[in-house]
Amino acid sequence: MTSDDRSVGKVRGTDGLRGRFEGALRDLRGRRLTSVDYWDVHNFGPERAPWDYGDWHHAVMGVQLGTDLGAVTVTWTDTFYPYGIEVFHEPIGHHLVLGESGPARVGPDVEGQSRWAPLLGSRVHSTACHWEQFQIGPSRRANGGIAAPAHSVDVPVALRLDFAAGSIWFVAAIPQLPDPQSVFIPGDEIMWSSPPRRCETWASRTPRSLAHPPDQLDQFSRTHTRAHRCA
């Protein structure tokens, strides 16, 4: 389900987590985009860290957007469930452990034929968020007994920003390379896409049921990315 100006699904109220989440996203409207920075874990290899895969980009640790009202961070969080996507009105450095071996900016190049070039200098005129409802559990003990009953959670997995020149999507997802069509959602990485058909393909492959118990969630996320996040 997608939320925009309307209340969609089960909203926890304006004072709850979802209300604050949607308020932060809504506050992007009217801001003018001035810069874009993709962040990845530290690259110890001799080659430049890859991020450009044509109609989608990979920003493992998140994206910092420069605007006329200050920096904005789009990154993955466990606010609702490990992991969704979220917007913060502050620099990405507030969410990363920076240093000599810490995360670094890897792109993009926003000149020439960049997909970002037509958007720089223009304003965000609308926003939207795609929420997925996941069925969790039940969690089972080693003997097969149920330790915790099954339950459902609503997780924001994708954000859309609309400009006069077009729309862009940020998705909390892990690409399953070398297959560029395959992704795991939700994930503790950020993927960017411009064509709506790409996001529709990703969404169609999203698992709606996660049967692993809570105490085994770590196997589904990359420990090296979480190690560079601020507590």
Side-chain angles (χ1 to χ4, degrees), residues 12 17-18 20-22 24 59-63 73-90 92 94-96 129 131 134 153-159 170-174 185-191 217 221 225-226 229-231:
R12 305 181 187 185
L17 291 175
R18 186 158 175 167
R20 290 195 294 271
F21 170 94
E22 295 187 340
V60 173
M61 301 304 296
V63 179
T73 293
V74 179
T75 190
W76 48 268
T77 71
D78 61 358
T79 299
F80 297 90
Y81 185 77
Y83 292 90
I85 197 167
E86 199 161 353
V87 169
F88 299 92
H89 293 268
E90 57 193 13
I92 198 170
H94 291 195
H95 300 270
L96 303 177
C129 177
W131 295 75
F134 295 97
V153 292
D154 291 339
V155 183
V157 298
L159 305 176
F170 298 103
V171 186
I174 302 175
I185 302 174
D188 56 342
E189 298 178 10
I190 296 297
M191 299 174 67
L217 286 175
S221 51
T225 59
R226 297 202 312 280
R229 299 304 294 267
C230 295

Side-chain angles (χ1 to χ4, degrees), residues 101-118:
S101 299
R105 183 189 186 276
V106 295
D109 305 315
V110 295
E111 300 176 353
Q113 300 300 313
S114 168
R115 294 177 182 271
W116 283 103

